[in-house]
Amino acid sequence: MKPRIAEELERGPLRFERIRVAHARELEPLSLDPRVWRTLQDPREPPPTSRDVWRNAERKDAHWELHGFGQWLLREHKDGLVVGRGGLQYTEATGFREVEIGWAVLPERWGRGYATELAVAAIEAAFSGLGLASVIAYTQLHNHASRRVMEKAGFHYESDLLYEELAHVVYRLHAGD
């Protein structure tokens, strides 16, 4: 039996829900915002479309089914508004299959600690729920806000990385750090 993490959580002002295909439309304001997608993809590439958001939600839903963990949709308790997404997923960005913690938050909600809250919840799920030995987080070199989130959540800089022809930094956290 594969380990699983909670599909729903409540932490502070946020409610976490497993991402499902049905969330695609709610994810559009986040995923299609140029301030967000420029931090997640090569800015030389065309901006994502609604179809890309749907496909991404489909992949994230399938990841949950296959592995028993994945990314959550973040809602504010007070109004149910979707304010972000993130959590755990497999990546091979470093050349090895590892679990990464990633996040994206609506720009109107930047600076409220939501990304850090999400990172901490994902760390707890990774180590307590899945029993992983380590997790990574990575971002484009210029994304200082995500680097601050990584450091606040306890990650340590590991290396620079050329990933998808863009300069990135990799941070790592080991269980027990």
Side-chain angles (χ1 to χ4, degrees):
M1 184 169 157
K2 65 185 165 200
R4 297 192 66 84
I5 65 169
E7 294 184 10
E8 295 185 10
L9 296 170
E10 294 193 20
R11 292 177 67 106
L14 299 173
R15 189 172 75 235
F16 298 55
E17 302 170 17
R18 167 190 170 166
I19 290 182
R20 298 189 182 274
V21 175
H23 291 127
R25 188 163 314 284
E26 289 183 286
L27 285 163
E28 284 185 3
L30 171 72
S31 301
L32 300 179
D33 189 304
R35 295 167 293 178
V36 174
W37 62 259
R38 284 188 192 121
T39 68
L40 301 174
Q41 73 177 50
D42 186 338
R44 299 169 294 190
E45 295 292 321
T49 65
S50 293
R51 181 128 174 94
D52 295 326
V53 176
W54 180 83
R55 285 183 189 136
N56 194 34
E58 189 175 59
R59 282 191 300 274
K60 294 198 181 314
D61 193 1
H63 191 284
W64 272 99
E65 285 300 314
L66 186 59
H67 303 294
F69 65 91
Q71 290 203 352
W72 295 290
L73 181 84
L74 299 179
R75 294 185 190 277
E76 287 183 330
H77 277 298
K78 66 181 179 183
D79 57 13
L81 178 70
V82 172
V83 296
R85 60 120 182 109
L88 302 162
Q89 65 186 15
Y90 279 110
T91 185
E92 293 187 6
T94 62
F96 303 97
R97 190 168 194 236
E98 302 188 78
V99 174
E100 73 160 305
I101 295 178
W103 51 83
V105 174
L106 277 174
E108 294 77 17
R109 299 301 191 276
W110 288 352
R112 296 186 185 188
Y114 290 176
T116 304
E117 187 68 39
L118 176 98
V120 169
I123 289 165
E124 290 171 6
F127 295 148
S128 297
L130 299 177
L132 298 177
S134 71
V135 290
I136 65 166
Y138 63 96
T139 190
Q140 293 180 41
L141 190 61
H142 64 80
N143 190 341
H144 299 290
S146 277
R147 293 175 79 163
R148 280 192 303 277
V149 169
M150 292 172 197
E151 291 164 359
K152 285 183 200 175
F155 285 88
H156 304 284
Y157 170 82
E158 182 172 273
S159 65
D160 288 355
L161 171 72
L162 189 61
Y163 178 63
E164 296 182 349
E165 300 181 21
L166 293 173
H168 285 74
V169 290
V170 177
Y171 281 66
R172 183 173 303 276
L173 183 62
H174 294 278
D177 279 358

